[in-house]
Amino acid sequence: MEGFERVQSWRQTSQNMSRSLSRSRSKANWGLDNMFAGARQLSRTCGINEDEEALKWAAIERLPTYDRLRTSIFQTFVETDEHNHEQKFVLDVRKMDLNDRQQFIDRIFKVAEEDNERFLVKLRNRIDKVGIQLPTVEVRFEHLNVEADCHIGSRALPTLTNVALNIAESALGLVGIRRAKRTKLAILKDVSGIVKPSRMALLLGPPSSGKTTLLLALAGKLDPTLKVKGEISYNGYRLNEFVPQKTSAYISQNDVHLGVLTVKETLDFSARCQGVGTRYELLSELAKREKDAGIFPEPEVDLFMKATAIEGVESSLMTDYTLKVP
């Protein structure tokens, strides 16, 4: 009897173990089925989103060139009770309001330093993908000498009397009469160098060593009363062969702006005065090559480039970008 009871208890134990194992397998299979079902649902959703985005790009490609360069895909998130729903729609970049621009900047540049570098790489990759070479400028200056005729003694002081005498002497100088004693002051003497493109150059020197004079000379903004010798060239062209003010600019250490404007209004005003430069021509060529190659750009990169290439807007996306990324 005892042997029979032992055999029966062993059978019950084995049956319980088999039931528990079958339950565990069914739960594991149920979990795997859910996981694969979720993956299939996610892939199906991604496929639908990609198809919808491709249809939107196709609709943009059918627009005339003028409208195509001002239309992009704007991505936003709609909050619901369960989760945030991503939504993309075709938008005219000229109709972006303050909330749209702020939402775009906050979404793309969450961490200003890291996200800005990634975004700039995306911009460069888009241009390189279609083989566009951005124009570069190399500045050369050889044997540059800058001299000034200065008064000596008490005549060099900025007094009212000296100003009146200088005006009188300037009038006499027109007929060849010079009475004041002057001396030549060498500000720059035999300076040569090269400013390579796509690089940042740091100019160091003690006070009154000629740093500002050198920068003004390279920008073509020296005082006409100074005597300049030597050669300055931009990509092999001398300063008298083009307008250097359209290629370079000297930024003074003194802030010159309207005190009644806010920082944002000042940047917007400066952007409107400067214009968009060659950004529109670059965008036009870029869109043409991408259309021929069948390439769809990233919506964020495309929207940013188109929004910053529009002239005459009251508030530019570039201003919001400048305020976000110092």
Side-chain angles (χ1 to χ4, degrees):
M1 292 294 291
E2 292 179 359
F4 177 75
E5 291 176 355
R6 289 177 181 174
V7 172
Q8 188 175 5
S9 63
W10 180 81
R11 287 179 180 175
Q12 291 178 353
T13 304
S14 62
Q15 289 176 358
N16 293 334
M17 291 178 62
S18 63
R19 291 194 193 96
S20 62
L21 287 174
S22 64
R23 291 195 193 97
S24 300
R25 289 176 182 174
S26 63
K27 290 181 179 179
N29 292 334
W30 180 74
L32 291 174
D33 291 340
N34 285 344
M35 182 178 67
F36 286 116
R40 286 193 294 269
Q41 182 68 22
L42 180 61
S43 63
R44 191 179 300 112
T45 304
C46 293
I48 294 174
N49 292 336
E50 291 178 358
D51 293 339
E52 291 179 354
E53 184 175 334
L55 291 174
K56 289 181 174 62
W57 282 119
I60 294 175
E61 291 296 333
R62 288 193 295 268
L63 295 174
T65 303
Y66 181 84
D67 295 332
R68 189 172 70 250
L69 296 181
R70 289 162 173 78
T71 307
S72 186
I73 296 178
F74 184 74
Q75 179 181 358
T76 184
F77 290 91
V78 179
E79 296 183 0
T80 59
D81 296 335
E82 297 179 357
H83 57 278
N84 293 337
H85 176 65
E86 180 182 356
Q87 183 179 4
K88 296 181 180 180
F89 56 91
V90 178
L91 174 69
D92 189 338
V93 296
R94 294 171 297 179
K95 297 180 180 179
M96 292 181 65
D97 56 16
L98 179 60
N99 294 329
D100 293 336
R101 295 196 306 270
Q102 194 63 42
Q103 182 180 357
F104 176 82
I105 294 296
D106 292 339
R107 181 169 55 84
I108 301 300
F109 305 102
K110 294 180 180 179
V111 181
E113 292 79 8
E114 300 176 2
D115 294 338
N116 181 49
E117 184 177 358
R118 278 194 218 98
F119 190 76
L120 293 177
V121 171
K122 290 181 180 180
L123 287 175
R124 187 56 186 263
N125 290 339
R126 183 189 181 186
I127 297 173
D128 294 342
K129 190 180 294 184
V130 293
I132 294 180
Q133 297 292 332
L134 295 177
T136 58
V137 178
E138 182 182 79
V139 182
R140 291 176 176 265
F141 48 99
E142 299 178 356
H143 307 292
L144 186 61
N145 296 273
V146 178
E147 293 182 350
D149 288 336
C150 303
H151 292 284
I152 60 176
S154 60
R155 285 297 311 277
L157 299 177
T159 62
L160 183 60
T161 304
N162 289 336
V163 171
L165 290 175
N166 291 338
I167 295 175
E169 289 179 357
S170 299
L172 295 175
L174 296 176
V175 295
I177 301 176
R178 297 183 181 275
R179 300 187 60 183
K181 295 182 179 180
R182 293 172 176 258
T183 184
K184 291 184 178 182
L185 176 64
I187 303 175
L188 296 177
K189 186 176 181 181
D190 197 22
V191 179
S192 302
I194 302 175
V195 180
K196 292 288 185 180
S198 303
R199 295 185 182 180
M200 182 179 292
L202 178 63
L203 183 61
L204 297 176
S208 301
S209 60
K211 302 185 297 296
T212 302
T213 303
L214 176 60
L215 294 177
L216 289 172
L218 297 181
K221 298 183 65 176
L222 274 179
D223 193 309
T225 59
L226 298 176
K227 296 181 180 180
V228 182
K229 294 181 181 179
E231 183 177 341
I232 301 174
S233 62
Y234 282 61
N235 288 347
Y237 294 93
R238 297 182 180 181
L239 295 182
N240 58 357
E241 297 176 347
F242 71 106
V243 182
Q245 286 78 9
K246 292 185 178 181
T247 305
S248 63
Y250 172 75
I251 308 300
S252 173
Q253 58 185 344
N254 299 320
D255 295 331
V256 181
H257 59 82
L258 299 177
V260 296
L261 299 180
T262 63
V263 175
K264 187 177 185 305
E265 291 172 343
T266 301
L267 294 176
D268 282 330
F269 178 74
S270 177
R272 294 187 65 181
C273 291
Q274 292 178 2
V276 297
T278 59
R279 287 198 292 265
Y280 185 82
E281 289 78 7
L282 171 64
L283 185 60
S284 178
E285 181 66 22
L286 185 62
K288 179 181 177 182
R289 295 194 183 189
E290 287 179 340
K291 183 179 180 180
D292 295 338
I295 300 175
F296 293 148
E298 295 188 28
E300 296 84 1
V301 177
D302 184 71
L303 188 145
F304 181 84
M305 294 185 70
K306 290 179 178 178
T308 55
I310 301 299
E311 286 185 321
V313 292
E314 181 177 355
S315 183
S316 173
L317 184 63
M318 183 61 73
T319 301
D320 300 285
Y321 169 76
T322 304
L323 294 175
K324 180 69 175 181
V325 183

